[in-house]
Amino acid sequence: MYSILIVDDEKIILDGLKSTISGAGLPFSEVCTASSAREALAAYEKSPFDVVLTDISMPQSDGLEMVRKMRRIWSHSIILFLTGYQRFDYAREAVRLQGFDYLLKPIADEELLCKLQEVVSKLNAEWDLRFEQETAAIRETDENVRKVSDLLKSQYLAKRWNFSTLQESGLPFDRNRKIRILTIYYEKAAQGEGAGQFHEKLTSIISKMAYGYGYLSGFQADENTSVFLIQKSAVSETMFAGVYNALEEMQSYFFTELNQKMTIIISHQCAWDDWILLAEKMIRQIKTDTGFGIFGKYEEQEDPGTGNVLMYKIREYILGNPGADLSLGALSGKFHINPSYLSRSFHAEIRIPLSQFILETRLNAAKTMLLDSDKKIFEIAREVGFETQGYFTKVFSRETGMTPKQYRQEGVDNAK
């Protein structure tokens, strides 16, 4: 599953594009919007998007300048430029910024969706290629990497560490700067693949992800757990956002394409003196408190529950908050779980697709309010999560065979 950010200063265009893409059945777990370059950059700094569909001509900062800044944060997003200006200099600059394509307004829905399908195919192909390359690279792993890995593991097991010895072995870290602990817990190694080989595969993939953003070294703590130490090289925290994005994409790829589940948790920044104790706590929690598919930051007070319990927690949250943002992206962020895993696991455990459960919850809440309150229909629509009364009426009529007004009147008649 991928994420897409739509950027346009015209609300009617922004809403139309979001509606078209959201209802097209494309593998986008998140369809987000921004009405300015500033708003788009703020969202992108928190978590880079796989695809950015942006207008070029916008007030204050145009789309080209915005993309230049995005490229410095994360260089792998696919950019689709959308503009009404048929100017060659714009097209040339868009190509220079590695834009995937240059589309002219107004664009038909069919043309847009066809282009987005090309984008999805490209994303899939890039992940397949990256996976194949990293698998092949395992056989060429630097011997120095193995040496550092072995030393980290021995110090971890002995619960005693020596930075000088690590540095002499080739650890490229700065003793005076903090680090993060990345813990990955995987269900199994691929068929015909030993646990050690799987760890080396992860090391190869993640090292490439972190390249340009920081330094990484790791070791295999046990048969199903890998631990990595990461030290960011960039001063700005936003420069590290690309690593989070890539890790989540990796988790999703392994799950959807290889049917291989894994949980990924990253710690807060910690001092070197604390890394062994923190790694032990994270491994203990990752094995006892979480189900496969979790992705997020480690918090010592947080208890996400087991995988199945987590699905019921999400179910209860939806039932209690029908008017909240219940998009897949919002729920996955709130519960620290991969969007693809959330969608599939909710369906498997609760026996109903997530989107259908949300719709039924909202309609049931609306029915109760229609019969038990004097609230106006537009107020009810807003309270159960519908943006407009018109859309609420359309969906309500489709699902129940009568308008909200008719449903309320029938309830009144039956009560007499």
Side-chain angles (χ1 to χ4, degrees):
M1 300 291 282
Y2 301 111
S3 59
I4 182 170
L5 175 65
I6 311 166
V7 190
D8 200 297
D9 62 311
E10 297 184 58
K11 188 176 187 304
I12 189 170
I13 293 177
L14 202 62
D15 291 345
L17 290 172
K18 180 178 181 179
S19 177
T20 298
I21 295 171
S22 298
L26 292 169
F28 290 116
S29 60
E30 290 184 81
V31 181
C32 300
T33 61
S35 57
S36 68
R38 179 182 299 179
E39 183 183 346
L41 280 170
Y44 195 89
E45 286 175 352
K46 291 180 181 178
S47 180
F49 292 78
D50 298 298
V51 183
V52 177
L53 173 63
T54 179
D55 190 12
I56 289 182
S57 180
M58 292 183 291
Q60 298 178 342
S61 176
D62 66 22
L64 296 176
E65 180 59 30
M66 178 193 73
V67 170
R68 290 190 194 97
K69 293 177 180 178
M70 287 178 171
R71 287 296 191 211
R72 290 196 288 269
I73 297 172
W74 179 243
S75 62
H76 300 292
S77 296
I78 293 183
I79 310 296
L80 275 173
F81 288 103
L82 184 63
T83 183
Y85 293 87
Q86 301 184 44
R87 287 175 50 179
F88 178 73
D89 56 338
Y90 273 168
R92 182 173 55 192
E93 180 66 4
V95 171
R96 193 183 72 78
L97 287 169
Q98 299 177 323
F100 182 75
D101 212 334
Y102 179 85
L103 308 175
L104 297 176
K105 293 179 180 178
I107 183 171
D109 289 351
E110 294 78 8
E111 182 182 355
L112 173 64
L113 296 179
C114 182
K115 188 60 61 178
L116 286 175
Q117 186 58 63
E118 289 182 31
V119 169
V120 169
S121 297
K122 180 176 173 60
L123 287 168
N124 290 340
E126 286 178 350
W127 259 111
D128 288 339
L129 180 61
R130 187 184 308 175
F131 180 77
E132 290 171 3
Q133 288 177 336
E134 304 307 340
T135 301
I138 293 171
R139 304 183 187 90
E140 303 170 8
T141 301
D142 189 339
E143 189 60 37
N144 196 53
V145 173
R146 296 179 187 274
K147 183 179 179 181
V148 172
S149 177
D150 291 343
L151 191 54
L152 280 172
K153 183 172 184 177
S154 66
Q155 293 190 5
Y156 169 78
L157 294 174
K159 295 181 173 51
R160 297 175 58 188
W161 70 277
N162 184 302
F163 189 84
S164 298
T165 305
L166 288 169
Q167 203 165 35
E168 289 171 5
S169 70
L171 189 76
F173 288 19
D174 183 340
R175 174 69 176 87
N176 299 312
R177 296 181 61 207
K178 292 184 176 182
I179 58 173
R180 276 189 176 83
I181 309 299
L182 165 64
T183 309
I184 304 180
Y185 178 42
Y186 29 91
E187 183 181 40
K188 60 181 180 180
Q191 188 172 4
E193 180 177 58
Q197 288 177 297
F198 188 71
H199 169 76
E200 291 183 351
K201 181 189 296 182
L202 288 176
T203 301
S204 182
I205 293 173
I206 299 171
S207 294
K208 297 292 175 61
M209 290 177 179
Y211 181 77
Y213 297 92
Y215 307 112
L216 177 141
S217 293
F219 61 94
Q220 186 173 11
D222 57 49
E223 187 178 10
N224 295 92
T225 313
S226 292
V227 175
F228 297 93
L229 280 60
I230 303 179
Q231 187 176 70
K232 65 187 177 72
S233 57
V235 175
S236 172
E237 184 67 13
T238 62
M239 294 297 290
F240 212 65
V243 176
Y244 292 119
N245 191 66
L247 285 169
E248 189 169 7
E249 285 188 1
M250 180 189 76
Q251 182 191 44
S252 180
Y253 178 87
F254 271 83
F255 182 59
T256 58
E257 301 298 325
L258 306 174
N259 197 32
Q260 194 160 29
K261 300 177 184 177
M262 62 175 63
T263 289
I264 300 176
I265 296 181
I266 308 173
S267 77
H268 48 73
Q269 293 198 74
C270 70
W272 276 96
D273 292 343
D274 301 327
W275 84 263
I276 291 179
L277 178 61
L278 182 55
E280 287 182 323
K281 287 182 177 180
M282 290 177 70
I283 290 174
R284 193 158 53 244
Q285 177 173 312
I286 209 170
K287 290 191 172 187
T288 60
D289 294 342
T290 68
F292 286 111
I294 301 298
F295 179 93
K297 295 181 180 179
Y298 173 75
E299 299 176 25
E300 293 194 44
Q301 301 304 313
E302 183 175 349
D303 177 10
T306 64
N308 289 346
V309 171
L310 183 59
M311 292 304 117
Y312 284 96
K313 284 186 176 181
I314 294 172
R315 176 181 179 273
E316 291 306 308
Y317 175 78
I318 294 169
L319 288 171
N321 301 274
D325 182 355
L326 301 178
S327 65
L328 190 58
L331 288 172
S332 62
K334 179 176 180 59
F335 289 93
H336 309 291
I337 185 170
N338 180 275
S340 175
Y341 180 84
L342 167 55
S343 179
R344 289 176 60 178
S345 297
F346 190 94
H347 191 180
E349 183 65 29
I350 309 301
R351 303 297 181 186
I352 181 174
L354 177 62
S355 59
Q356 184 180 338
F357 182 77
I358 292 170
L359 177 60
E360 289 182 4
T361 298
R362 286 176 163 165
L363 291 179
N364 288 335
K367 290 175 182 178
T368 299
M369 281 188 270
L370 284 167
L371 298 179
D372 299 343
S373 78
D374 295 326
K375 292 181 179 179
K376 298 184 182 300
I377 292 176
F378 78 86
E379 293 176 323
I380 293 174
R382 187 174 60 243
E383 288 188 28
V384 298
F386 289 88
E387 294 182 4
T388 67
Q389 179 179 333
Y391 182 58
F392 167 63
T393 299
K394 179 180 177 180
V395 173
F396 192 94
S397 301
R398 184 189 69 206
E399 297 297 322
T400 66
M402 63 182 74
T403 66
K405 184 177 181 180
Q406 290 169 337
Y407 184 87
R408 170 174 271 172
Q409 185 59 49
E410 184 177 282
V412 172
D413 294 341
N414 290 337
K416 290 179 180 179

